[in-house]
Amino acid sequence: MRRYHVTTFGCQMNAHDSERIKGLLEDLGLGEAPVQEEADVVVFNTCTIREKPDTRLAAHLGDAAALKRRRPDIVVAVGGCYAEAQRERIFELYPFVDLAFGPGTIRHLGDWLGAGGVGVARHAFGTAEERRFSAELPTLRERRVQAWVQVSMGCNSVCSYCIVPHVRGREVSRRPGEILAEVSALARQGIREVTLLGQNVNSYGRDLAPEVDTGFAELLHGVDGVEGIERIRFTSPHPKDFRAPVIEAMARCGAVCEHAHLPLQSGSTLVLKRMRRTYSWERYLRLVGELRRAIPDLALTTDLIVGFPGETEDDFRATLDAVEDVRFDGAFTFVYSPRSGTEAATMSDQVPDEVKRERIERLVEVVQRIAAERNASRIGTVEEVLVESPSRTDPELLRGRTRRNTTVNFSGSAAPGDLVPVRITAATSTTLRGTQEALVAA
């Protein structure tokens, strides 16, 4: 049997796409290889949102080039956002790459490979007009009881630092009936938790109007009504589109989890304006208040960028103050890196690398301290945990997540997919530890 290996970079959308890529290759008769060196078809599903994934990809492609020199018959494919961004010169940059495809044209991978991965020929990219949702493609799911569900692709925002609209195109929403049919099928397969995916999920459905009168709030209610789905998550929302009906749906729908990932990016309104985020720090803070009033036990996580062009020490201190004010449960922190083709990359007042490094260290320290305090406040509580697998660090323990999306390692006896009560006994900035509570018969 010919075998494949897929390496995934980047966001949850890429993780979802890689499950489709693997399912497609399995459907062609290939089996998965545990390491790249043992594969006949090597696929890189790429990200290009920041510089670090590009650097990692270059190293991986160097290894693939060396592998191809030893075994000229292997197939090397590059997909995803980096491939789309470099579509005019990907084969010039990497002559050993056999084929490439963008994030909206995964299905072409199967056409190009042919049955069993035989007869590869280089092929032009699919165009943006050919973008299609991949829901009908076969899937090799990484998680037994959780699933990604794509509700939209592309983005209509014009953030000055972001290349997503260029590589993923304008926003296109799936029809609600298709989404609910997929969720219902997942429930019948034993999936208990779904995560609704989009570059901006809470603007879902606006491109369907007036033909289809459905927004993201209505979609949440619809998914909440699917029997067997115990938990609903979604990512990522944009603060500018987080409106009252969505907050109300989060509060009213029993399966929607008490967690929101709400990207802030900067605590400085001046920097937010240069980023073209279309909200101020004050507006963001009001939204946080609305969310917490509606959902008192809400966990809030965020994205933060340091070193954006023109960011002063006062701007950066505003971000530190914002983290202290909101008290996020966690944050993804990034050093700004210029992306070719974006407005921010051409700004003249770029921040020196040494200043960026110093600021990110200060930011991470504050984020981790507050996250540790937030998690410590859960000690002594009993949390509902969806069991996922044995713990990654201790096979004697089980691993799962709370409704607030915090990882818990705990002692107990349960199977993946079980929802169990766990008493929290210890905490770090990123995880909880506990003991499964015995269920008492009524």
Side-chain angles (χ1 to χ4, degrees):
M1 175 185 289
R2 290 172 63 83
R3 298 197 292 175
Y4 69 88
H5 187 269
V6 177
T7 302
T8 306
F9 303 86
C11 65
Q12 295 96 332
M13 191 70 79
N14 271 20
H16 167 271
D17 289 346
S18 285
E19 290 184 343
R20 301 294 183 182
I21 290 169
K22 290 181 179 183
L24 182 63
L25 294 173
E26 296 267 340
D27 205 46
L28 288 172
L30 281 73
E32 187 168 15
V35 293
Q36 179 177 299
E37 290 72 16
E38 298 178 11
D40 302 289
V41 177
V42 177
V43 183
F44 299 100
N45 188 20
T46 64
C47 173
T48 193
I49 302 304
R50 295 175 180 87
E51 185 177 14
K52 187 174 181 180
D54 284 6
T55 303
R56 289 177 56 216
L57 173 63
H60 280 269
L61 284 172
D63 294 340
L67 182 62
K68 184 134 186 169
R69 285 193 293 271
R70 296 194 302 271
R71 295 172 50 205
D73 60 323
I74 71 164
V75 175
V76 178
V78 179
C81 291
Y82 179 83
E84 185 69 39
Q86 300 294 338
R87 61 188 297 159
E88 301 300 331
R89 62 191 196 117
I90 186 74
F91 298 122
E92 175 186 342
L93 290 169
Y94 302 104
F96 58 89
V97 170
D98 295 288
L99 58 92
F101 57 97
T105 53
I106 293 172
R107 66 189 64 251
H108 293 305
L109 175 63
D111 298 334
W112 292 333
L113 285 177
V118 176
V120 175
R122 291 188 177 184
H123 199 288
F125 270 85
T127 66
E129 289 73 23
E130 292 175 339
R131 288 182 306 154
R132 293 172 62 187
F133 290 105
S134 58
E136 67 271 27
L137 294 178
T139 301
L140 182 63
R141 193 166 290 108
E142 299 293 331
R143 302 175 300 170
R144 292 174 55 183
V145 297
Q146 298 151 305
W148 313 108
V149 176
Q150 187 179 17
V151 304
S152 63
M153 60 176 155
C155 184
N156 292 347
S157 297
V158 289
C159 301
S160 63
Y161 57 84
C162 187
I163 199 171
V164 165
H166 172 66
V167 295
R168 287 189 178 264
R170 298 278 294 174
E171 184 175 282
V172 179
S173 301
R174 289 176 69 193
R175 290 182 172 271
E178 295 176 7
I179 297 170
L180 294 178
E182 181 179 353
V183 172
S184 297
L186 290 170
R188 291 192 294 271
Q189 295 166 22
I191 294 296
R192 306 201 73 181
E193 176 183 298
V194 294
T195 300
L196 308 180
L197 290 179
Q199 261 69 47
N200 180 8
V201 290
N202 47 0
S203 64
Y204 165 82
R206 293 177 193 171
D207 57 310
L208 300 178
E211 182 183 353
V212 178
D213 186 19
T214 297
F216 191 59
E218 290 80 8
L219 184 64
L220 287 176
H221 281 287
V223 178
D224 185 63
V226 176
E227 185 176 354
I229 298 300
E230 302 285 348
R231 290 184 175 183
I232 301 167
R233 304 188 188 278
F234 56 89
T235 197
S236 284
H238 194 299
K240 71 180 176 65
D241 295 309
F242 218 126
R243 300 176 183 175
V246 174
I247 298 174
E248 181 182 1
M250 291 178 66
R252 293 182 59 185
C253 295
V256 176
C257 291
E258 293 79 19
H259 168 243
H261 185 73
L262 194 64
L264 171 60
Q265 308 304 1
S266 174
S268 165
T269 295
L270 289 175
V271 173
L272 290 171
K273 186 175 182 179
R274 290 168 65 86
M275 290 179 168
R276 297 192 184 278
R277 292 292 289 171
T278 70
Y279 56 84
S280 65
W281 156 242
E282 292 75 17
R283 180 179 170 188
Y284 182 95
L285 192 59
R286 286 197 300 271
L287 175 58
V288 168
E290 293 166 6
L291 281 161
R292 284 181 166 158
R293 282 191 293 274
I295 310 154
D297 199 33
L298 182 74
L300 269 179
T301 54
T302 195
D303 295 337
L304 298 166
I305 298 172
V306 302
F308 188 79
E311 182 189 69
T312 65
E313 178 64 18
D314 286 344
D315 292 326
F316 174 67
R317 287 184 179 275
T319 297
L320 294 180
D321 291 343
V323 175
E324 296 277 10
D325 289 345
V326 176
R327 295 187 62 78
F328 294 106
D329 293 84
F332 296 105
T333 56
F334 306 97
V335 170
Y336 168 76
S337 59
R339 300 286 80 193
S340 178
T342 65
E343 179 187 352
T346 65
M347 293 179 178
S348 59
D349 44 359
Q350 301 289 323
V351 176
D353 288 345
E354 59 271 21
V355 175
K356 293 179 186 177
R357 288 193 295 269
E358 186 268 341
R359 287 177 181 171
I360 195 73
E361 290 175 2
R362 290 160 60 192
L363 177 61
V364 168
E365 182 180 349
V366 173
V367 165
Q368 290 183 342
R369 170 176 57 79
I370 291 174
E373 293 169 359
R374 296 280 290 173
N375 278 347
S377 71
R378 313 301 291 188
I379 294 174
T381 65
V382 176
E383 305 272 356
E384 180 194 83
V385 174
L386 176 62
V387 182
E388 296 176 359
S389 65
S391 168
R392 294 172 181 172
T393 56
D394 184 349
E396 298 299 315
L397 299 177
L398 295 172
R399 178 180 182 273
R401 288 185 181 270
T402 69
R403 288 179 62 91
R404 302 172 80 253
N405 205 33
T406 308
T407 298
V408 185
N409 295 302
F410 65 98
S411 57
S413 177
D418 287 348
L419 289 165
V420 298
V422 175
R423 183 167 296 278
I424 305 304
T425 58
T428 70
S429 62
T430 56
T431 62
L432 301 174
R433 192 177 179 102
T435 303
Q436 183 177 339
E437 292 271 275
L439 293 174
V440 179

